[in-house]
Amino acid sequence: MTDFTKYEDIASLIAKEVLQEIKPEELIRLRAWIEACPENSRLYAHIVNPENFKNRNAALTKINTQREWGKHLYRRNKSRKINLFKRTLTIAASIIIPLLIVGGIVNHQRTFRQHQPQIAQIQEIKPESGKAVLILDDGRTIVLDSVDHLSFVEKDGTLVRKSGGKIDYISNIDNQSQQPVFNTIKVPRGGEYHLVLADGTQVYLNSMSSLKYPVRFTGPAREVEFSGEAFFEVNKDVRRPFIVKTALMRIEVLGTSFNLNAYENSEKIITTLIEGSVKINPGAVNQTSILSPEEQAIFYVKDAKTEIKKVDVNLYTAWKDGNFVFYDSRLEDIMTTLTRWYATDVIYRDNLVKDLRFSGKLNRKSNINEILEIIKSSRKVQVEIINNTIAFSELM
């Protein structure tokens, strides 16, 4: 069990205890963790303190329970209402309590302070509703979110079909044209998109990403050009390797699943392998690395060096399933990720706060205030919003 998974497990146990839904065997595990060291005991007491719990959860719990409760208010008898209310609280707790507890565990263990600082009022910053744009071979553009269904034939005979929030490419086997036809998808801030290439490969594009690809693969290799972040599920074809080309790297695979973080102007390119194998070749240096499952390669652009290490891959693929997950991450790195999704900018009035480390879990459909509350609760940094810009500074 990884450290983050352990924290998430403890968070879930505390949530169940608060809701009086914990099983005897789970209670034994929770008590064992509490009694493992004095710090755990102090942390547990702080989390379940009624005043702390009320202050950190009241607003979120109210919103979620009222929304679910309202759906059924006039359709259930009294006993049904009680059961529904309890289930609703469980749903809210499964999101809110682990978010706040997991977000606070690492920081609280490092800086357990008794004073409560002055906190600036935080306004709401919600996710953008960015629209992915499809650029056709002839330069025409289609805003994909502007149409529910789309179907047309590219000039090489390939059927392009959009339905259910994703694009499929279906090759015309009768068309023998060798002239490649390219499409490009660009995903702006706050957007994401899923497409299935002509060979069956699935690509999940994160915000501020771009993918250029042939609508039909010909020749000895399947090549695409990419920048940003994406999760690739590559359809296996032993005769034709799948090659992802970025500005600084070439990644070759056969049939595999991996996450690639290769934003332009980033200090590093991160390749995380879930299954299969990939061969990485940074274009600037004569070195090749082969990854095994649950390994990650970090290519440092400035030094032109590659570091390979074992990781918990779930931390790097959670975005695809609708979550942000941070574990012992620098504040600057966290905010770089968040500002690609939310319509906001960041300034650091004190450079030292950039290196403060936090952990947390946040649903991508939530507003950014939830994770800002976690950061504020560390009692290490001042947070305020001015004209949609988040400002961080040291506490005086």
Side-chain angles (χ1 to χ4, degrees):
M1 181 182 291
T2 65
D3 286 343
F4 187 86
T5 304
K6 177 181 68 178
Y7 292 137
E8 203 166 25
D9 180 56
I10 294 301
S12 176
L13 294 178
I14 296 175
K16 290 180 180 179
E17 186 187 42
V18 169
L19 293 170
Q20 299 181 351
E21 294 182 350
I22 193 167
K23 298 177 181 178
E25 61 271 21
E26 292 174 327
L27 184 59
I28 292 173
R29 283 167 46 212
L30 177 58
R31 294 302 172 198
W33 175 81
I34 294 170
E35 296 168 5
C37 66
E39 183 60 43
N40 288 356
S41 179
R42 288 194 296 270
L43 176 59
Y44 170 79
H46 177 79
I47 290 171
V48 300
N49 179 287
E51 197 60 34
N52 292 334
F53 187 85
K54 178 182 177 182
N55 291 340
R56 301 176 81 180
N57 294 281
L60 292 172
T61 303
K62 181 179 179 181
I63 291 170
N64 282 277
T65 56
Q66 285 183 349
R67 183 176 66 239
E68 299 300 323
W69 179 245
K71 293 178 181 178
H72 300 270
L73 187 59
Y74 299 104
R75 294 184 290 166
R76 296 290 186 269
N77 58 35
K78 185 174 182 179
S79 63
R80 291 282 290 173
K81 287 180 181 178
I82 293 173
N83 290 335
L84 175 63
F85 190 70
K86 189 176 181 66
R87 286 200 303 272
T88 302
L89 284 176
T90 302
I91 293 170
S94 70
I95 299 171
I96 296 162
I97 297 176
L99 165 68
L100 297 175
I101 295 173
V102 175
I105 280 179
V106 174
N107 297 297
H108 199 81
Q109 288 177 334
R110 291 179 177 173
T111 58
F112 189 87
R113 303 179 186 176
Q114 297 301 319
H115 69 277
Q116 184 71 25
Q118 295 281 329
I119 299 297
Q121 182 69 28
I122 299 296
Q123 66 190 59
E124 263 197 4
I125 296 180
K126 296 181 179 180
E128 279 283 89
S129 57
K131 296 176 173 61
V133 176
L134 176 65
I135 304 174
L136 305 182
D137 192 70
D138 61 7
R140 288 180 296 156
T141 62
I142 299 172
V143 178
L144 293 171
D145 286 3
S146 66
V147 290
D148 293 330
H149 299 280
L150 178 69
S151 180
F152 64 93
V153 177
E154 264 286 13
K155 60 186 180 182
D156 71 341
T158 299
L159 174 63
V160 183
R161 186 173 58 193
K162 187 244 180 186
S163 179
K166 72 172 183 177
I167 291 181
D168 291 285
Y169 287 84
I170 304 171
S171 294
N172 182 353
I173 59 174
D174 296 328
N175 192 313
Q176 301 300 314
S177 172
Q178 295 300 308
Q179 186 67 28
V181 174
F182 291 93
N183 280 184
T184 301
I185 283 189
K186 292 188 175 182
V187 183
R189 172 190 277 188
E192 55 188 358
Y193 215 79
H194 175 203
L195 70 151
V196 182
L197 302 179
D199 67 334
T201 291
Q202 300 197 56
V203 185
Y204 300 82
L205 291 164
N206 205 348
S207 54
M208 298 180 67
S209 298
S210 174
L211 182 73
K212 181 179 180 179
Y213 51 94
V215 299
R216 182 170 61 92
F217 291 107
T218 60
R222 299 168 288 166
E223 292 192 6
V224 300
E225 297 177 17
F226 173 73
S227 68
E229 183 172 26
F231 183 88
F232 292 85
E233 292 182 353
V234 178
N235 199 28
K236 189 172 184 179
D237 185 341
V238 295
R239 298 173 301 169
R240 297 185 300 169
F242 191 91
I243 296 171
V244 182
K245 297 168 66 176
T246 75
L248 298 173
M249 183 174 287
R250 173 187 170 99
I251 300 173
E252 181 177 331
V253 304
L254 290 176
T256 193
S257 299
F258 67 100
N259 194 82
L260 177 60
N261 187 313
Y263 282 99
E264 293 181 1
N265 303 318
S266 178
E267 297 178 352
K268 52 193 175 184
I269 299 174
I270 304 173
T271 308
T272 307
L273 181 63
I274 287 76
E275 62 180 30
S277 66
V278 299
K279 182 165 66 175
I280 299 170
N281 182 16
V285 293
N286 187 23
Q287 62 180 29
T288 298
S289 303
I290 297 178
L291 294 186
S292 298
E294 299 186 348
E295 285 188 336
Q296 181 181 84
I298 304 175
F299 175 70
Y300 296 94
V301 175
K302 183 178 179 180
D303 301 327
K305 293 182 179 179
T306 302
E307 174 191 3
I308 297 177
K309 60 182 180 180
K310 279 278 188 180
V311 296
D312 180 349
V313 297
N314 295 316
L315 299 180
Y316 302 92
T317 62
W319 68 266
K320 180 178 73 71
D321 300 317
N323 294 304
F324 291 111
V325 176
F326 303 106
Y327 176 64
D328 200 28
S329 302
R330 295 175 63 250
L331 177 60
E332 186 178 28
D333 295 335
I334 290 173
M335 296 312 300
T336 296
T337 298
L338 294 180
T339 54
R340 290 183 182 129
W341 183 248
Y342 295 94
T344 185
D345 297 309
V346 178
I347 59 173
Y348 302 93
R349 292 179 173 145
D350 303 287
N351 283 331
L352 288 177
V353 302
K354 294 180 180 180
D355 292 321
L356 296 175
R357 292 182 175 271
F358 299 89
S359 299
K361 184 175 181 180
L362 175 71
N363 187 290
R364 282 162 64 94
K365 302 303 181 185
S366 302
N367 66 58
I368 200 172
N369 300 59
E370 295 179 21
I371 206 159
L372 292 180
E373 289 295 333
I374 293 172
I375 293 171
K376 289 192 304 179
S377 71
S378 72
R379 305 179 179 92
K380 294 189 293 186
V381 61
Q382 178 78 22
V383 184
E384 58 183 323
I385 294 180
I386 305 170
N387 297 327
N388 221 45
T389 295
I390 302 171
F392 293 99
S393 55
E394 286 188 288
L395 288 172
M396 303 303 292

